[in-house]
C-alpha cells in the first residue's frame, strides 16, 4: 500500500525522499490552516514560493473548481510526470491534492503529509481520493495510492481536542475490527498526550489494521467494506448535521455510528451485551451529545441515501466479537428503527 513512514522528523524524511527531484518540480498543496500551523515543520525542504498551492479551508472547497485551480497551478509551474505533489494538511487537502495528482498527466508522484489525527489514521492512507459533487460527499474520485505517507504526530500537539476525538473514533473502529487486545489497549489511550512517542506507536498499530485490509482489497470489492463499520448510522448523523447547519465532526458521527453498529450486532450477531455496554459507555464519556433530536424516521431516510447501499437494502458491517466482523449485513427498516430507539434511551 505504498510506503508509510512514522517519524518525528518529517522534514528530514521528506528531503531524503524527494532528493532526486529538481527543486522547481516539487509542488506543495496546503490550506490556510496547514500553511500557518504546519509549514514550519517542513523547514529545510525547499519549495519555490510559486509552487505552493493554497486551497480554501473545509468541505466547501473540496470541489472540481478547486481541482481545476490546482491543475492550472501545476501547468503554469511546468509540472511533469516525475514531479512530486506533496499534500500537507487534513483530509480535504490529501483527498483533493491526491485526486489532482492522480489525474494530472494521468498521474504524477504524490506524497501525503497528514496533519490531523483523522487524516493520519484514515483519509491519507489507502488511496481514496476525490471531491464532493452536487451536494454528495466524495462523489467524484479515484483510488490512487500515494507513493509515500509520512505520519508525524508532532503536528497533533496543537490540534483542538474536538479534532483529536474525531480522529480517535476511527482508531476505536480499527481496534474493534482487529482484536480484544487492541480494543483494550485503545480504551486506555491518554488523549491529552497525542504528540507523545507512546501515541506514535498506537498510531502505527492503528494504521497497520487499515493497511492489512487495504492490501487485501484496495478497491473495496469485499473485505475493505469492513472499514465502513460505524459509517452507516454515522452517515445519517453526519448528513442530518450538514443539512441542519450544525457544527459537528465526521468522527463524532462515526462514534455514534459505532454505538449503532454495536447495538445492531448485539441484536443480530450475538455480540456480548456486557462488552457492548462497556464500549458504548466509554464512547459516551468521550463524545459530546448529539446537538439535535432527529426522529428515527428522519435518520432512516438519510440512511437510504448512503452510497454504500447497493440496491439490496441498507448495508452494514457488523461484529460477532472484536476481530470477527461481517460485511454486507443487510438490516430491515424495523431493525434499524429498533436500534435508533435503543440509542435514544
Ligand atoms: N475510510 C474507509 C476506507 O478508506 O476504506
Amino acid at each position: 500500500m505504498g510506503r508509510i513512514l512514522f517519524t518525528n522528523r518529517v522534514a528530514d524524511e521528506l528531503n531524503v525522499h524527494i532528493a532526486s527531484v529538481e527543486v522547481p518540480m516539487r509542488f506543495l498543496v496546503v490550506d490556510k490552516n496547514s500553511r500557518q500551523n504546519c509549514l514550519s515543520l517542513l523547514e529545510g525542504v525547499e519549495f519555490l514560493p510559486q509552487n505552493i498551492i493554497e486551497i480554501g479551508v473545509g468541505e466547501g472547497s473540496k470541489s472540481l473548481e478547486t481541482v481545476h485551480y490546482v491543475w492550472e497551478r501545476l501547468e503554469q509551474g511546468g509540472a511533469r510526470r516525475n514531479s512530486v505533489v506533496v499534500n500537507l494538511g487534513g483530509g480535504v487537502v490529501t483527498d483533493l491534492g491526491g485526486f489532482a495528482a492522480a489525474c494530472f498527466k494521468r498521474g504524477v508522484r504524490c506524497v501525503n503529509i497528514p496533519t490531523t489525527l483523522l487524516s493520519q489514521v484514515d483519509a491519507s492512507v489507502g488511496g481514496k481520493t476525490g471531491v464532493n459533487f452536487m451536494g454528495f460527499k466524495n462523489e467524484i474520485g479515484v483510488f490512487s495510492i500515494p507513493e509515500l505517507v509520512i505520519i508525524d504526530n508532532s503536528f497533533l500537539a496543537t490540534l483542538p481536542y474536538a479534532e483529536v476525538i474525531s480522529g480517535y473514533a476511527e482508531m476505536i473502529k480499527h481496534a474493534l475490527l482487529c482484536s480484544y487486545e487492541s480494543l483494550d489497549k485503545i480504551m486506555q489511550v491518554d488523549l491529552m498526550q497525542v504528540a507523545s512517542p507512546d501515541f506514535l506507536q498506537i498510531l502505527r498499530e492503528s494504521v497497520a489494521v487499515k493497511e492489512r485490509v487495504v492490501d487485501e482489497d484496495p478497491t473495496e470489492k469485499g473485505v475493505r467494506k469492513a472499514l465502513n463499520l460505524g459509517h452507516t448510522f454515522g452517515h445519517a448523523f453526519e448528513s442530518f448535521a450538514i443539512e441542519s447547519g450544525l457544527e459537528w465532526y465526521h468522527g463524532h458521527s462515526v462514534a455514534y455510528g459505532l454505538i449503532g453498529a454495536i447495538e445492531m450486532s448485539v441484536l443480530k450477531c450475538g455480540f456480548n451485551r456486557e462488552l457492548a455496554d462497556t464500549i458504548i459507555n466509554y464512547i459516551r464519556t468521550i463524545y459530546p451529545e448529539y446537538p439535535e433530536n432527529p426522529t428515527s424516521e428522519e435518520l432512516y431516510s438519510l440512511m437510504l441515501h448512503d452510497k454504500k447501499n447497493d440496491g439490496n437494502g441498507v448495508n452494514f458491517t457488523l461484529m460477532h466479537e472484536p476481530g470477527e466482523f461481517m460485511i454486507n449485513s443487510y438490516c430491515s427498516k424495523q431493525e434499524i428503527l429498533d436500534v435508533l430507539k435503543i440509542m435514544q434511551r
Side-chain angles (χ1 to χ4, degrees):
M1 191 176 77
R3 201 150 67 95
I4 306 178
L5 256 171
F6 295 82
T7 182
N8 53 15
R9 299 191 326 273
V10 60
D12 294 352
E13 299 293 357
L14 185 59
N15 259 331
V16 168
H17 186 74
I18 59 177
S20 63
V21 184
E22 303 148 50
V23 170
M25 293 299 131
R26 303 167 185 181
F27 294 81
L28 183 71
V29 180
V30 288
D31 66 12
K32 194 168 159 213
N33 290 343
S34 61
R35 187 173 205 155
Q36 269 173 9
N37 303 322
C38 307
L39 196 49
S40 58
L41 272 154
L42 293 194
E43 207 179 313
V45 185
E46 276 185 45
F47 288 98
L48 293 180
Q50 64 268 30
N51 287 1
I52 298 181
I53 306 172
E54 183 178 317
I55 64 170
V57 172
E59 286 290 320
S61 61
K62 198 173 162 186
S63 63
L64 283 175
E65 288 73 26
T66 310
V67 175
H68 187 278
Y69 169 70
V70 173
W71 285 333
E72 267 177 0
R73 295 288 305 276
L74 292 176
E75 202 68 75
Q76 287 157 0
R80 298 191 303 239
R81 263 274 177 82
N82 62 350
S83 299
V84 179
V85 171
V86 177
N87 300 310
L88 176 76
V92 171
V93 171
T94 57
D95 279 13
L96 186 142
F99 179 62
C103 301
F104 192 78
K105 294 189 192 291
R106 297 204 183 93
V108 297
R109 297 172 58 188
C110 177
V111 173
N112 280 344
I113 306 181
T115 58
T116 63
L117 185 55
L118 187 62
S119 60
Q120 292 190 342
V121 290
D122 192 18
S124 73
V125 292
K128 280 187 179 174
T129 72
V131 294
N132 305 332
F133 185 63
M134 293 180 74
F136 297 103
K137 247 189 114 176
N138 302 328
E139 189 72 353
I140 307 287
V142 294
F143 287 102
S144 177
I145 305 274
E147 65 181 22
L148 177 68
V149 181
I150 307 179
I151 296 182
D152 182 342
N153 66 330
S154 319
F155 288 117
L156 308 183
T158 53
L159 196 67
Y161 184 70
E163 296 233 23
V164 168
I165 59 173
S166 180
Y168 182 59
E170 300 286 357
M171 297 175 78
I172 301 174
K173 176 192 84 178
H174 289 163
L176 264 165
L177 292 173
C178 185
S179 63
Y180 281 95
E181 199 192 351
S182 301
L183 185 63
D184 202 40
K185 203 162 169 188
I186 205 75
M187 291 192 343
Q188 292 181 39
V189 158
D190 184 352
L191 291 172
M192 295 300 156
Q193 302 295 331
V194 287
S196 67
D198 285 353
F199 194 80
L200 190 62
Q201 179 55 27
I202 305 271
L203 262 178
R204 188 193 289 266
E205 289 168 23
S206 187
V207 172
V209 176
K210 176 160 184 177
E211 214 177 348
R212 281 198 294 277
V213 173
V214 172
D215 278 344
E216 205 178 312
D217 175 24
T219 55
E220 202 171 304
K221 300 285 187 290
V223 72
R224 185 167 181 167
K225 292 181 188 175
L227 297 174
N228 294 331
L229 180 69
H231 285 64
T232 309
F233 282 107
H235 170 84
F237 288 109
E238 186 165 27
S239 303
F240 186 87
I242 293 170
E243 283 178 11
S244 315
L246 304 172
E247 202 189 317
W248 190 247
Y249 292 78
H250 171 73
H252 298 199
S253 298
V254 172
Y256 274 85
L258 287 173
I259 294 177
I262 291 169
E263 290 290 3
M264 189 66 89
S265 299
V266 171
L267 280 184
K268 284 180 68 103
C269 309
F271 195 95
N272 181 278
R273 178 74 262 170
E274 214 176 305
L275 178 61
D277 286 340
T278 306
I279 305 168
I280 290 168
N281 290 339
Y282 175 72
I283 292 175
R284 286 197 189 276
T285 58
I286 294 181
Y287 292 87
E289 259 188 50
Y290 195 70
E292 281 280 336
N293 277 316
T295 64
S296 298
E297 287 287 348
E298 278 173 312
L299 291 171
Y300 175 72
S301 86
L302 289 167
M303 287 165 81
L304 290 178
H305 293 107
D306 188 342
K307 69 167 168 297
K308 295 187 287 299
N309 300 334
D310 54 13
N312 294 315
V314 184
N315 187 334
F316 289 83
T317 296
L318 298 179
M319 310 282 311
H320 294 293
E321 59 180 329
E324 287 295 323
F325 54 81
M326 231 170 60
I327 60 169
N328 294 334
S329 305
Y330 296 95
C331 298
S332 68
K333 177 174 181 184
Q334 194 52 53
E335 288 167 333
I336 293 168
L337 294 181
D338 287 348
V339 165
L340 287 168
K341 206 163 156 195
I342 296 169
M343 288 175 74
Q344 276 157 5
R345 269 195 226 135

